[in-house]
Amino acid sequence: MNKQRKSALSRRQFLQVAGSTAVALSLPGILSACRPSSASGALKIGVLLPYSGIYAVLGESITQGMQLYFEALGNEIAGRPIELITEDSKINPDVAQQKVRKLVEQDEVAFVTGIVSSGVLAGLRDYFHDNQVLCLCSNAGSNAHSRAAKTPYIWRTSFTNWMAPHAMGTWAAQNVGRTAVISVPDYAAGENNVTSFTHSFTAAGGEVVAVQRTPFPNMGDPAPFMAELSATGADLIYAFYSGSAAVTFVKAYHDFGLAQQIPLTGAGFIVEEDVLPEQGAAAQGVKSTLFWSYVLDNPQNAQFKTDFHAFAGRDADVFAVQGYDTACVIDEMLKRTEGDTAVGQLIAALDGIQFDSPRGPFRLDAHSQAPEHNMYARDVQPVDGVLRNVILENLGPIVDPGDDSMG
Ligand code: PHB
């Protein structure tokens, strides 16, 4: 990458310093104070998210969750004003590649956050690694980036894709049925769900009888996929879909009569708050596992839901929680470095960050570079006339194993 970014003094930066603090500094002091990795001036954060396509709502919620947290700080951390620079990555690794270059090389952001799709994260992994740019990934859960493709420059504030299916595999074998058919979109995150669910479901005595992979990002006409699922005669479906693909899948599951025939389970994104209003009655009774629910009863969640509604004019969803928690990690990280953004210091500061999140206890695990948090088994039921993911069971804390030994 442009090594210049770390050392050169732009004209604007020189003028800023020369006009304010230069008199008090020696020359090396001036140079270090002027590097983008310094501890003064506006703190530019690159936010790379989908604002169009099937995951557009996820991008919107993550952004608003971050904005809410930063607004409560007066948009300032360690004395530095925060500037979020947002870019639409779509769900396209090539577009994301151009956008990340723009953020890092032109805007000179201190680090990058966002990234929803595992395919996009995979496409950017070497850029972050080779150029030593920190990425605080706030959604994309690809297991590889906590395992074989791990780099010190990518940390997750969200989850890994191993977590929800791992929890559901065990829970479904104990509570729903003995044979399962899996349905996922045909890309990395779907594949992670297949391996993880299969591992824990089988370990708990279940058998996966078929795996269905649908076109990603748009599955097209769901009818043939529903017919295929129905024909398996399995005791249950396990599915991973999110955003508008989750709406398509769950509505089709209902409209084609599968809801009467075969229980639907999944990673919680399939019936999250972002899609539930549109799914309506079609989602009722769907069981899922996730690290948060709207109805989760803790003081942080109560406050968060109220504040988010006042800020965004709508109910919070798990992606808003992820944005909020990402901002909390950024806050804590920069407090620890006293506002310094030298990449080595940022990374050192991440180790062991923990706080009480709306999702419950949150701890950044240095081995998997992803959170440890509770998993909850949930069921879509009406609460005061509104469909919510009622918590059936707190399944306790989960942390990615950091290798492929458990799926
Ligand atoms: C992913 O691509 O890893 C992914 C996308 C959407 C989700 C969760 C994971 O809701």
Side-chain angles (χ1 to χ4, degrees), residues 158-362:
S158 41
F159 53 86
T160 71
N161 285 330
W162 172 82
M163 295 171 168
H166 175 78
M168 182 49 90
T170 314
W171 193 85
Q174 290 165 356
N175 296 283
V176 190
R178 210 192 60 77
T179 58
V181 51
I182 303 178
S183 180
V184 294
D186 192 7
Y187 83 111
E191 223 42 52
N192 288 165
N193 274 262
V194 172
T195 356
S196 174
F197 180 84
T198 303
H199 185 277
S200 64
F201 191 63
T202 310
E207 188 194 347
V208 174
V209 294
V211 177
Q212 174 179 84
R213 294 175 177 85
T214 60
F216 177 79
N218 297 300
M219 78 170 68
D221 178 7
F225 302 118
M226 294 301 137
E228 199 175 78
L229 293 172
S230 168
T232 62
D235 292 345
L236 65 108
I237 301 170
Y238 172 83
F240 163 79
Y241 290 98
S242 187
S244 59
V247 176
T248 306
F249 187 88
V250 171
K251 277 190 159 173
Y253 165 79
H254 179 263
D255 294 350
F256 287 88
L258 273 76
Q260 324 301 324
Q261 187 199 331
I262 172 168
L264 176 58
T265 72
F269 312 110
I270 196 165
V271 284
E272 237 314 288
E273 295 291 331
D274 59 316
V275 289
L276 258 184
E278 212 179 326
Q279 292 166 336
Q284 193 160 340
V286 176
K287 315 274 189 294
S288 68
T289 40
L290 203 60
F291 49 87
W292 180 79
S293 160
Y294 188 87
V295 300
L296 189 61
D297 186 14
N298 68 54
Q300 289 74 25
N301 199 32
Q303 187 69 53
F304 168 72
K305 287 189 298 186
T306 307
D307 294 350
F308 187 85
H309 198 281
F311 180 80
R314 64 184 170 94
D315 283 349
D317 56 38
V318 75
F319 307 106
V321 175
Q322 291 166 207
Y324 190 78
D325 285 350
T326 302
C328 184
V329 167
I330 291 171
D331 180 23
E332 182 59 29
M333 172 181 80
L334 289 166
K335 276 188 191 134
R336 289 180 178 196
T337 68
E338 295 175 348
D340 197 330
T341 54
V343 71
Q345 291 213 40
L346 295 180
I347 292 170
L350 289 168
D351 187 354
I353 284 183
Q354 52 186 325
F355 52 89
D356 289 325
S357 152
R359 64 177 97 176
F362 175 113

